Amino acid sequence: KGVTDGFIQTLKNAFKNSSSVRIPILKNFCRDKEKLKEINTTIIQALGSRYTSRTIGYTIFIKKWRK
């Protein structure tokens, strides 16, 4: 399935209460580092320019910056 609009909306709702979110990537979804980078950039592009991310292992950490 990949990154859906519903997933992006769930992330935006999570950022209403928190400044950072941790997304673990499951083994059955992705075990390729290149695909993980593509997923990461897709999420950040969908969220907007006020968000940055960092990938550690198979976990994506996303932080929302102030205006």
Side-chain angles (χ1 to χ4, degrees):
K1 288 186 176 183
V3 179
T4 62
D5 292 333
F7 177 72
I8 298 298
Q9 192 60 39
T10 303
L11 282 177
K12 288 181 181 179
N13 288 338
F15 279 113
K16 290 180 182 176
N17 299 324
S18 178
S19 64
S20 62
V21 172
R22 181 175 77 92
I23 305 169
I25 305 299
L26 300 176
K27 289 181 181 179
N28 61 356
F29 181 69
C30 169
R31 283 290 118 182
D32 181 24
K33 291 286 188 176
E34 292 301 319
K35 186 175 179 184
L36 185 64
K37 288 180 184 178
E38 291 175 16
I39 294 166
N40 188 7
T41 56
T42 303
I43 292 171
I44 293 300
Q45 287 175 351
L47 287 176
S49 62
R50 292 184 359 191
Y51 298 87
T52 57
S53 67
R54 182 174 182 189
T55 304
I56 300 175
Y58 287 95
T59 304
I60 300 173
F61 295 93
I62 301 176
K63 181 171 178 143
K64 179 181 179 182
W65 298 93
R66 292 188 217 169
K67 295 180 182 178

